[in-house]
Amino acid sequence: MRVGVLTGGGDCPGLNAVIRAVVRKGIEANGWEVVGFRSGWRGPMTGDSRPLGLDDVEEILTRGGTILGSSRTNPYKEEGGVDKIKATLADQGIDALIAIGGEDTLGVAKKLTDDGVGVVGVPKTIDNDLAATDYTFGFDTAVHIATEAIDRLRTTAESHYRAIVVEVMGRHAGWIALHSGLAGGANVILVPERPFSVDQVVEWVERRFERMYAPIIVVAEGALPEGGEEILTSGEKDAFGHVRLGGVGTWLADEIAKRTGKESRAVVLGHVQRGGTPTAYDRVLATRFGLHAVDAVQDGDFGVMVALRGTDIVRVKLAEATAELKTVPQERYEEAEVFFG
């Protein structure tokens, strides 16, 4: 059997651990040939691939990013994109694909399955916003990075008695903001699921200043002020129709400074959250996902995604996995509000 593997969408820590698991089990347990397609869905569209042997994955467990590269290519937005993928798979003798990615990559995987291509999905996103799995790999690492940044920023904030706004990733779901904010003892946490009142934020900030401490505000990039619109860095959209976000942290820091008369600074963590060595948790979860994806392909169970439910790895339909995003529920946010101000 000859199986292809690709990584699509934004990179994140743990991708290489999945690739390693697929290659090792595919070759050693099943006798497969494994082919890696470069640059996400662009690889099978253009035929850009490389063989993956045991030596190729020997030292990649601890590496961030992906040895196959990634992109936000959408074959359904490219003229003849799907036909090109089918032609590549036929030409290279590929019997099945393992696609590692988030909602967009797996959305393509679902459509390709409907169009007759054998695909198994592996969930990847630092945003942890895929509803069919309890956790995605990459999330734990991103939260650790953001929490460490908050810890470091707190010391300089207290030294200068200034407010610091920390902008983290999270377009539609505020899981990184919520978890890193709670772990870092933030005084305000703002998520996309709940529009925020600038007046209320200022009240919490002033309460912190009155106690002679410097406030830390954690805000997800997709968070919105009440009655406001997304803060955009540009109007540019990617192949899946997403506008690049960013800037709410700087905007909010300026508002806090104007309304309180106190010095305020913004720090945008950006792609730092996606880089570097994955945590032990993410390495283990990614490895388990890869092993179970191999089993699904071996069973001929296509059109599914491997998912974490409790402590077990299960299979769910790609249609279920991509039907909706997993957002922060109201009760989880209300728990955190106890610590605001």
Side-chain angles (χ1 to χ4, degrees):
M1 193 170 191
R2 191 169 166 86
V3 176
V5 59
L6 62 86
T7 54
D11 67 298
C12 82
L15 286 168
N16 286 324
V18 181
I19 296 169
R20 173 178 176 268
V22 168
V23 171
R24 293 198 60 168
K25 186 167 187 177
I27 292 174
E28 296 188 309
N30 298 335
W32 292 356
E33 290 182 60
V34 182
V35 175
F37 285 101
R38 296 183 176 92
S39 303
W41 290 115
R42 186 184 303 155
M45 276 181 54
T46 63
D48 187 4
S49 66
R50 55 173 287 194
L52 290 175
L54 296 177
D55 289 343
D56 297 306
V57 300
E58 184 65 30
E59 302 292 339
I60 68 172
L61 178 63
T62 62
R63 286 174 55 182
T66 164
I67 62 170
L68 295 177
S70 190
S71 73
R72 296 192 183 277
T73 302
N74 183 351
Y76 285 89
K77 294 291 185 180
E78 302 284 341
E79 186 175 352
V82 176
D83 291 335
K84 291 176 182 176
I85 288 177
K86 290 182 176 181
T88 294
L89 300 183
D91 290 344
Q92 298 193 17
I94 304 297
D95 300 297
L97 277 174
I98 294 176
I100 312 165
E103 57 166 324
D104 295 326
T105 301
L106 297 181
V108 171
K110 192 270 180 189
K111 290 180 180 178
L112 284 173
T113 300
D114 294 341
D115 288 334
V117 179
V119 187
V120 169
V122 175
K124 171 262 0 165
T125 167
I126 66 170
D127 288 341
N128 197 40
D129 59 1
L130 284 170
T133 183
D134 290 348
Y135 283 98
T136 54
F137 69 86
F139 173 68
D140 187 69
T141 303
V143 169
H144 273 67
I145 292 169
T147 301
E148 182 180 5
I150 294 167
D151 291 344
R152 292 177 180 274
L153 290 166
R154 181 177 299 283
T155 60
T156 185
E158 297 290 356
S159 296
H160 294 272
Y161 196 54
R162 61 166 62 118
I164 290 189
V165 179
V166 185
E167 182 182 315
V168 300
M169 285 185 168
R171 174 181 294 275
H172 301 297
W175 291 107
I176 295 176
L178 180 67
H179 280 239
S180 65
L182 280 172
N187 308 108
V188 181
I189 301 170
L190 306 173
V191 297
E193 293 86 344
R194 182 169 175 171
F196 63 88
S197 163
V198 179
D199 290 339
Q200 177 64 79
V201 171
V202 170
E203 179 182 327
W204 282 323
V205 166
E206 289 182 325
R207 188 187 308 169
R208 184 71 175 171
F209 276 130
E210 287 170 0
R211 295 174 57 199
M212 302 304 293
Y213 291 104
I216 299 289
I217 302 94
V218 176
V219 57
E221 63 184 347
L224 295 173
E226 291 177 348
E229 297 180 355
E230 291 174 322
I231 309 298
L232 309 178
T233 57
S234 73
E236 180 183 353
K237 294 184 179 181
D238 66 18
F240 293 93
H242 299 310
V243 177
R244 189 175 57 148
L245 296 181
V248 65
T250 301
W251 176 84
L252 183 58
D254 290 342
E255 285 294 310
I256 291 171
K258 284 191 292 186
R259 299 187 186 208
T260 65
K262 301 288 188 181
E263 195 174 358
S264 182
R265 294 285 187 274
V267 176
V268 180
L269 297 186
H271 289 74
V272 170
Q273 297 157 90
R274 296 211 312 226
T277 300
T279 61
Y281 180 88
D282 278 341
R283 296 182 206 182
V284 172
L285 180 59
T287 297
R288 295 182 70 201
F289 278 161
L291 296 176
H292 282 262
V294 169
D295 290 342
V297 172
Q298 188 69 14
D299 293 343
D301 191 7
F302 301 121
V304 300
M305 181 191 83
V306 293
L308 180 69
R309 296 282 176 84
T311 58
D312 297 326
I313 305 296
V314 300
R315 300 174 193 173
V316 298
K317 293 295 184 181
L318 281 169
E320 176 188 350
T322 57
E324 62 180 356
L325 293 177
K326 179 177 66 184
T327 55
V328 176
Q330 180 74 12
E331 58 269 21
R332 288 293 301 277
Y333 189 78
E334 290 175 350
E335 287 175 355
E337 281 188 314
V338 173
F339 299 100
F340 290 1

